[in-house]
C-alpha cells in the first residue's frame, strides 16, 4: 500500500480513537472567566424570544403586541438602555435568537417584593394572538448572567430538583364565573436568583456569583391594586387575568337583538374593544451553597442519570450489529486473500483462461478416460480443471473492467468532494462538543463553529473532488470545480432562502435577516469558492490520479444475468441502509426528543453520540464491503454508485422515521410549521447521506483495490 493510502487510513484511525477516548458524559467546559457581582450591582436581565414544542415558528419577545414595550430607561451602572439589541453571533441569529435588554431591574442582593412595570392596552386581535400562543404552549426565554430563566421542578420523592428552560405564557382552564373554557395570562413574574460567594480572592472581597435563575409566573387580575400599581397581596390567592373581551359593538347587538349571549365565534372583528394587562414583578435572592458555579448548568440536564443506561444499551446494540457484520467481512476477506490474490496479475488471469479453454477443447475431442489420462499425465487430479475454472470465476473475471469509470462520474466526483467536506465538519463538531468546547452556555456556538468549519473545509472538498475526477479520466477541470463549489452549497442556500420567505410572511424571528443572508452568501462566494478552487487545483494538477492495480480493457465486458439478490439493487441498498439505521436508532430517539419534543431541554451527551457515530462509520464500511463483494461475485462491475448509495441509504430511513415521529409524537399545527419540519428534516437527511455515502464510496474503493492488488497512490 502506498504512503498516501497509509496516511489516509491512519488519519481515519486517529479520528476514531479520538472519539472513543472522549468521556461518555462530557458536555461542557464551565468557562474561562467567571462573572461576579457585588451587592447592589446591576445584573442585566435580557429578553429573547418565545418558542413552542408544537410549532417551528419563534417570535422575538418585544415583537409581541401584548407585552410591555421597552421604555429606553437606562439602569444604574448599565451602559445600554432598555430595548438595546445585544450583539449576537451567527449561530444565535440562525437559531432565531433576538436578545435585547429589558426594563426589569435586578440588583445583586436586593429583594423587591413587588415592582410595577407597565399597563399594556391590547385590542381584540392582539388578545386572540395571545390566546393562540397559550394554546400552542409557547414559553418565554429570558436570560440572566447567561442562564436561561427556568421553570423549577422536583421529583416525586422530592429528592432532586431540575430545571426546564423558559416559562409558560399562560394556561387554559374553565372560568368559574361563566363555566366556559378561558385563557389566563401570566402577568406577574417572581424572579428567584440563587447565588453563592465567588471563588478565590473575589469571594473574600464580597463578590458573589449567580448559580441559578428561576422564574415563577402568576396570573393576577387587573383589580385590587394599590397606588404603585402592584396587587394588594402578591403572594396570596388572587383572581386570575382572563383573556376575554365581550362584544360591545352596536353591529353585534343588531344581529342578536333578543339574545343575551353572543357566540364567541362571531366576535372576531376589530370592534374597538380593549383590555388592560398590568405587569409587575418581584425579585428574591437566595444563597445556595450546594451548587458550584462550574456545575450550574447541571440542573438543566434533567435526564442525565435516568438515560445513561439507555445510552449504554444503544452502544451495546451498535457493537452487536457491527460485530456480526465484522465476522462476515472476516470470512469474505479470508476467501479473497488466502492464496487468491497473491501474485495475481492480468497476464496470469488471461493465461489461466486460455489454459482452461484448451483443456475444454481437448476433453471434447477425446473418447475415453485413457486418452484423458495420457494427455494430462497420471499425476494430475481430474478435478484440476474445475479448480482452475473456480480460480477465475466470479469477481476475478472483472479484473479488466472493475476500475472502468462509472457513468455520470462528473456528478459523483463533486458529491464525494462535498461529502468529505461534511465529514470534516461532523468530526470537528463532535470532537469539540465531546471536549466541552462547544456547550450550552455558548449560545449559538454549535452553528457558528459548524458554518466556520464548513466554509474553511472547502479546500478538502475541492481536493477530493478534483482527485476523484482525475481518477475517472475527466478532462474539464473547471467544470468539475464549479459543480463542487456550487452544487450542494447552492441548493442549500436556495432552500434556506425559499423557506425564509415563509417565515418572513409569518413575522417570525425564525426568519433570517437580509443582512445575515447576505453575509452567508459572502462567506460562500468570497471565501469557500476560492478555497474549493485552490483545493481542486492542487488535487487535479499537482496530485497524480489514483493508480489502479489492473488495466482496464478497451471493450466493456458483458454483464451476465443477475441473481435475484443482486438483480434488484434498490432492495439491496435499502436493506443495507436499514442495518445502519438500526445502529443509530436508539440514540436518535434522544436527539429528536431534544430537537422537537422538548425544546426546553438540551442535548449534551456528545460523548455517547461520538461513540455511536464511530460505530456507525464502521458498520457502514462493513455493509459496503459485503454488498460490493456480492455485486462483484455476480460479475457486475458497476460498484461505484452502489457503494455511495449503500453508504447513504440510512438517511432515507431517518427521514421515514421523521415522518413517523411527526405523525405519532408531535402536535405541530399550521402549514408553515409543517413545511419547515419536513424541509429541514429532508435537508438534515441529505447532509447525513452525503457524508455517509462518501464513507461508503471510499471504503469500497479501498476494498476493491486491495483484493485486486496493492493500491499504487503517491
Amino acid at each position: 500500500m502506498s504512503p498516501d493510502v497509509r496516511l489516509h487510513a491512519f488519519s481515519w484511525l486517529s479520528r476514531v480513537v479520538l472519539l472513543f477516548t472522549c468521556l461518555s458524559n462530557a458536555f461542557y467546559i464551565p468557562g474561562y472567566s467567571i462573572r461576579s457581582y457585588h451587592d447592589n450591582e446591576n445584573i442585566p436581565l435580557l429578553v429573547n424570544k418565545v418558542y413552542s414544542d408544537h410549532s417551528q415558528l419563534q417570535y422575538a419577545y418585544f415583537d409581541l403586541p401584548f407585552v410591555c414595550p421597552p421604555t429606553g430607561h437606562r439602569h444604574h451602572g448599565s451602559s445600554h438602555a432598555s430595548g438595546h439589541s445585544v450583539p449576537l453571533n451567527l449561530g444565535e441569529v440562525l437559531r432565531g435568537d433576538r436578545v435585547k435588554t429589558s426594563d426589569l431591574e435586578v440588583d445583586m442582593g436586593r429583594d423587591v417584593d413587588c415592582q410595577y412595570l407597565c399597563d399594556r392596552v391590547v385590542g381584540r386581535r392582539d388578545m386572540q394572538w395571545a390566546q393562540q400562543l397559550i394554546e400552542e404552549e409557547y414559553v418565554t426565554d429570558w436570560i440572566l448572567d447567561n442562564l436561561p430563566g427556568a421553570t423549577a421542578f422536583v421529583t416525586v420523592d422530592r429528592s432532586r430538583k431540575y430545571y426546564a428552560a423558559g416559562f409558560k405564557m399562560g394556561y387554559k382552564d374553565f372560568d368559574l364565573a361563566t363555566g366556559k373554557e378561558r385563557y389566563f395570562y401570566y402577568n406577574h413574574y417572581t424572579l428567584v436568583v440563587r447565588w453563592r460567594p465567588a471563588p478565590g480572592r473575589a469571594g473574600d472581597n464580597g463578590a458573589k456569583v449567580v448559580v441559578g435563575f428561576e422564574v415563577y409566573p402568576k396570573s393576577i387580575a387587573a383589580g385590587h391594586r394599590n397606588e404603585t400599581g402592584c396587587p394588594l397581596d402578591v403572594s396570596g390567592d388572587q383572581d386570575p387575568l382572563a383573556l376575554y373581551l365581550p362584544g360591545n359593538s352596536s353591529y353585534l347587538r343588531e344581529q342578536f337583538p333578543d339574545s343575551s349571549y353572543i357566540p364567541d365565534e362571531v366576535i372576531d372583528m376589530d370592534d374597538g374593544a380593549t383590555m388592560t394587562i398590568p405587569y409587575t414583578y418581584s425579585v428574591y435572592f437566595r444563597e445556595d451553597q450546594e451548587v458550584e458555579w462550574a456545575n450550574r448548568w447541571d440542573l438543566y440536564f434533567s435526564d442525565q442519570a435516568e438515560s445513561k443506561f439507555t445510552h449504554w444499551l444503544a452502544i451495546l446494540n451498535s457493537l452487536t450489529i457491527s460485530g456480526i457484520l465484522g465476522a462476515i467481512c472476516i470470512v469474505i476477506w479470508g476467501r479473497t486473500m488466502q492464496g487468491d490474490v497473491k501474485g495475481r496479475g492480468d497476464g496470469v488471469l488471461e493465461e489461466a483462461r486460455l489454459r482452461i479453454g484448451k483443456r475444454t477443447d481437448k476433453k471434447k475431442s477425446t473418447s475415453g478416460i485413457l486418452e484423458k489420462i495420457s494427455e494430462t499425465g497420471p499425476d494430475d487430479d481430474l478435478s484440476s480443471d474445475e479448480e482452475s475454472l473456480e480460480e477465475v470465476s466470479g469477481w476475478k473475471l472483472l479484473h479488466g473492467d472493475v476500475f472502468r469509470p462509472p457513468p455520470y462520474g462528473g456528478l459523483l466526483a463533486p458529491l464525494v468532494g462535498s461529502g468529505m467536506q461534511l465529514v470534516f465538519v461532523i468530526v470537528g463538531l463532535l470532537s469539540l462538543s465531546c471536549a466541552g468546547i462547544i456547550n450550552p452556555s455558548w449560545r449559538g456556538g454549535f452553528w457558528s463553529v459548524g458554518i466556520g468549519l464548513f466554509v474553511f473545509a472547502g479546500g478538502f472538498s475541492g481536493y477530493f473532488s478534483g482527485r476523484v475526477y482525475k481518477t475517472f479520466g475527466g478532462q474539464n477541470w473547471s467544470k468539475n470545480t464549479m459543480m463542487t463549489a456550487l452544487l450542494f452549497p447552492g441548493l442549500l442556500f436556495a432552500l434556506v432562502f425559499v423557506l425564509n420567505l415563509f417565515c418572513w410572511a409569518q413575522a417570525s424571528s425564525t426568519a433570517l435577516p437580509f443582512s445575515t443572508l447576505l453575509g452567508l452568501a459572502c462567506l460562500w462566494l468570497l471565501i469557500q469558492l476560492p478555497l474549493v478552487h485552490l483545493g481542486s487545483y492542487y488535487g487535479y494538477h499537482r496530485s497524480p490520479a489514483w493508480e489502479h492495480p489492473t488495466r482496464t480493457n478497451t471493450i466493456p465486458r458483458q454483464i451476465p444475468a443477475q441473481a435475484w439478490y443482486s438483480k434488484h439493487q434498490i432492495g439491496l441498498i435499502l436493506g443495507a441502509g436499514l442495518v445502519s439505521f438500526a445502529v443509530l436508532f436508539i440514540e436518535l430517539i434522544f436527539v429528536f426528543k431534544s430537537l422537537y419534543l422538548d425544546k426546553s431541554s438540551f442535548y449534551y451527551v456528545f460523548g455517547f453520540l461520538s461513540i455511536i457515530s464511530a460505530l456507525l462509520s464502521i458498520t457502514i464500511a462493513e455493509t459496503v464491503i459485503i454488498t460490493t463483494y456480492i455485486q462483484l461475485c455476480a460479475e457486475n462491475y458497476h460498484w461505484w454508485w452502489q457503494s455511495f448509495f449503500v453508504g447513504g441509504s440510512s438517511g432515507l430511513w431517518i427521514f421515514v422515521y421523521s415522518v413517523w415521529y411527526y405523525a405519532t409524537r408531535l402536535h405541530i399545527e399550521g402549514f408553515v410549521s409543517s413545511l419547515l419540519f419536513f424541509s429541514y428534516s429532508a435537508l438534515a437527511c441529505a447532509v447525513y447521506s452525503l457524508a455517509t455515502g462518501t464513507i461508503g464510496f471510499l471504503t469500497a474503493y479501498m476494498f476493491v483495490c486491495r483484493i485486486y492488488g496493492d493500491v499504487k497512490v503517491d
Side-chain angles (χ1 to χ4, degrees):
M1 187 177 292
S2 68
D4 193 18
V5 175
R6 290 193 185 99
L7 181 61
H8 183 70
F10 176 77
S11 175
W12 272 102
L13 180 62
S14 63
R15 291 176 181 176
V16 173
V17 171
L18 176 63
L19 293 177
F20 271 99
T21 53
C22 292
L23 295 176
S24 61
N25 61 348
F27 49 86
Y28 76 96
I29 292 176
Y32 303 100
S33 177
I34 300 177
R35 180 72 169 91
S36 60
Y37 303 90
H38 289 84
D39 287 340
N40 295 321
E41 183 179 353
N42 181 258
I43 307 175
L45 193 148
L46 310 176
V47 296
N48 185 8
K49 61 185 178 182
V50 295
Y51 59 91
S52 171
D53 297 337
H54 303 299
S55 176
Q56 301 301 305
L57 297 175
Q58 307 172 100
Y59 301 97
Y61 182 79
F62 278 144
D63 287 346
L64 302 177
F66 45 83
V67 303
C68 288
T71 62
H73 172 71
R74 181 175 299 177
H75 301 298
H76 68 276
S78 176
S79 58
H80 300 294
S82 64
H84 171 76
S85 296
V86 176
L88 304 176
N89 59 49
L90 181 58
E92 289 177 300
V93 177
L94 291 177
R95 53 178 252 171
D97 289 354
R98 302 295 184 266
V99 182
K100 295 185 178 182
T101 56
S102 72
D103 283 296
L104 281 77
E105 190 160 355
V106 181
D107 298 329
M108 173 58 75
R110 186 169 70 90
D111 290 349
V112 177
D113 291 331
C114 182
Q115 178 65 47
Y116 170 78
L117 194 60
C118 80
D119 280 341
R120 184 64 163 168
V121 179
V122 298
R124 193 179 300 279
R125 295 185 184 277
D126 298 337
M127 183 196 68
Q128 288 178 347
W129 191 14
Q131 291 176 345
Q132 180 183 351
L133 296 182
I134 294 175
E135 175 73 27
E136 297 178 0
E137 298 182 1
Y138 271 79
V139 297
T140 306
D141 183 22
W142 287 359
I143 305 169
L144 183 78
D145 193 42
N146 202 36
L147 284 177
T151 302
F153 299 93
V154 294
T155 55
V156 177
D157 57 358
R158 296 186 176 275
S159 61
R160 186 172 58 87
K161 181 173 71 173
Y162 60 92
Y163 286 164
F167 55 92
K168 290 187 176 181
M169 302 183 64
Y171 64 97
K172 184 171 65 172
D173 201 353
F174 285 94
D175 189 350
L176 298 178
T178 62
K180 299 177 182 178
E181 194 174 60
R182 296 297 185 202
Y183 296 90
F184 298 94
Y185 185 75
Y186 292 135
N187 60 330
H188 179 83
Y189 310 103
T190 300
L191 313 179
V192 177
V193 182
R194 302 196 177 273
W195 62 272
R196 64 170 297 144
R201 185 177 301 177
D204 298 336
N205 295 330
K208 303 172 182 178
V209 293
V210 177
V211 295
F213 175 37
E214 303 169 6
V215 181
Y216 298 90
K218 188 176 183 179
S219 179
I220 301 178
H224 305 291
R225 295 178 177 264
N226 57 28
E227 63 278 1
T228 64
C230 288
L232 297 178
D233 185 8
V234 175
S235 59
D237 292 334
Q238 301 281 347
D239 293 333
L241 178 67
L243 293 177
Y244 173 70
L245 277 174
N248 62 352
S249 66
S250 58
Y251 170 78
L252 291 175
R253 293 190 178 91
E254 291 176 359
Q255 296 297 317
F256 302 91
D258 300 326
S259 176
S260 60
Y261 167 68
I262 302 176
D264 289 343
E265 56 268 18
V266 303
I267 309 177
D268 59 352
M269 60 188 67
D270 191 4
D271 56 3
T274 61
M275 70 173 296
T276 301
I277 302 178
Y279 283 90
T280 54
Y281 67 95
S282 304
V283 182
Y284 298 99
F285 285 85
R286 296 293 180 264
E287 184 177 4
D288 192 339
Q289 293 286 353
E290 296 181 358
V291 180
E292 297 286 346
W293 188 90
N295 301 322
R296 63 180 188 164
W297 278 85
D298 289 358
L299 292 175
Y300 293 91
F301 309 125
S302 58
D303 58 349
Q304 180 176 4
E306 292 80 356
S307 64
K308 184 172 294 186
F309 173 77
T310 309
H311 288 295
W312 284 114
L313 181 63
I315 293 176
L316 180 61
N317 169 71
S318 304
L319 284 172
T320 303
I321 297 175
S322 180
I324 295 173
L325 295 176
I328 298 175
C329 291
I330 291 175
V331 173
I332 293 175
W333 194 262
R335 289 191 60 185
T336 58
M337 301 307 295
Q338 288 180 357
D340 287 344
V341 185
K342 296 178 181 178
R344 184 68 59 200
D346 294 349
V348 177
L349 287 172
E350 292 297 332
E351 185 177 334
R353 294 175 64 184
L354 292 174
R355 176 164 52 86
I356 292 176
K358 291 180 179 179
R359 289 188 177 184
T360 304
D361 294 339
K362 290 180 180 179
K363 288 176 68 178
K364 291 181 180 179
S365 62
T366 56
S367 58
I369 190 63
L370 294 178
E371 185 177 352
K372 173 64 181 174
I373 294 176
S374 63
E375 178 69 25
T376 59
D379 296 332
D380 289 345
D381 191 351
L382 292 177
S383 63
S384 61
D385 290 339
E386 297 177 359
E387 293 177 355
S388 299
L389 181 61
E390 184 182 355
E391 276 190 39
V392 291
S393 63
W395 63 272
K396 301 162 198 167
L397 295 174
L398 301 179
H399 68 285
D401 295 276
V402 70
F403 292 106
R404 187 176 301 280
Y408 306 105
L411 176 61
L412 181 58
L415 292 180
V416 171
S418 297
M420 284 303 302
Q421 183 181 14
L422 294 172
V423 167
F424 177 83
V425 173
I426 294 172
V427 172
L429 287 175
L430 288 178
S431 301
L432 294 174
S433 299
C434 186
I437 298 175
I438 300 177
N439 55 79
S441 64
W442 182 7
R443 297 176 180 274
F446 191 87
W447 289 107
S448 298
V449 174
I451 292 177
L453 291 175
F454 182 81
V455 170
F456 289 101
F460 290 91
S461 174
Y463 173 80
F464 279 93
S465 175
R467 201 158 187 191
V468 171
Y469 183 71
K470 187 175 183 179
T471 302
F472 290 162
Q475 301 296 324
N476 196 341
W477 165 76
S478 59
K479 177 182 177 181
N480 175 74
T481 302
M482 292 304 296
M483 284 192 64
T484 306
L486 301 178
L487 180 60
F488 175 72
L491 293 176
L492 175 63
F493 186 83
L495 176 63
V496 171
F497 180 79
V498 171
L499 294 177
N500 218 46
L501 297 177
F502 289 92
C503 297
W504 273 336
Q506 298 292 322
S508 171
S509 66
T510 309
L512 300 180
F514 180 77
S515 58
T516 302
L517 288 175
L518 185 61
L520 291 174
C522 291
L523 287 175
W524 169 31
L525 299 176
L526 301 181
I527 298 179
Q528 179 182 280
L529 194 146
L531 288 175
V532 171
H533 275 74
L534 183 62
S536 181
Y537 175 81
Y538 187 82
Y540 187 87
H541 292 287
R542 294 300 183 90
S543 302
W546 289 330
E547 296 182 4
H548 301 145
T550 61
R551 295 189 300 270
T552 301
N553 296 333
T554 305
I555 301 177
R557 173 185 172 84
Q558 184 176 0
I559 300 175
Q562 300 291 293
W564 64 271
Y565 53 83
S566 60
K567 182 177 181 180
H568 304 286
Q569 292 191 7
I570 295 180
L572 187 65
I573 291 172
L574 293 178
L578 186 60
V579 174
S580 302
F581 173 75
V583 173
L584 190 64
F585 170 71
I586 298 180
E587 194 65 29
L588 202 64
I589 296 176
F590 294 95
V591 176
F592 272 58
K593 180 177 181 294
S594 178
L595 287 177
Y596 300 119
L597 198 59
D598 191 5
K599 296 178 182 178
S600 59
S601 64
F602 299 94
Y603 183 86
Y604 62 97
V605 284
F606 287 100
F608 285 113
L609 184 61
S610 299
I611 296 175
I612 294 295
S613 299
L615 293 174
L616 175 66
S617 300
I618 295 173
T619 303
I620 290 174
E622 292 168 343
T623 55
V624 167
I625 289 175
I626 294 172
T627 55
T628 302
Y629 182 75
I630 291 174
Q631 186 177 15
L632 294 179
C633 287
E635 301 182 24
N636 185 349
Y637 51 84
H638 295 303
W639 57 271
W640 305 89
W641 277 105
Q642 177 184 283
S643 63
F644 186 85
F645 288 141
V646 167
S649 58
S650 53
L652 178 61
W653 290 107
I654 295 177
F655 184 76
V656 172
Y657 177 74
S658 302
V659 176
W660 176 86
Y661 202 85
Y662 173 87
T664 61
R665 292 291 185 269
L666 302 181
H667 303 283
I668 295 178
E669 299 178 356
F671 170 76
V672 176
S673 293
S674 299
L675 177 66
L676 293 176
F677 174 84
F678 286 111
S679 298
Y680 284 123
S681 296
L683 177 60
C685 292
V687 169
Y688 168 89
S689 296
L690 269 180
T692 54
T694 300
I695 294 175
F697 171 84
L698 295 178
T699 301
Y701 183 78
M702 289 187 287
F703 171 72
V704 172
C705 286
R706 186 64 184 90
I707 66 174
Y708 284 95
D710 289 337
V711 183
K712 302 176 182 179
V713 183
D714 295 331

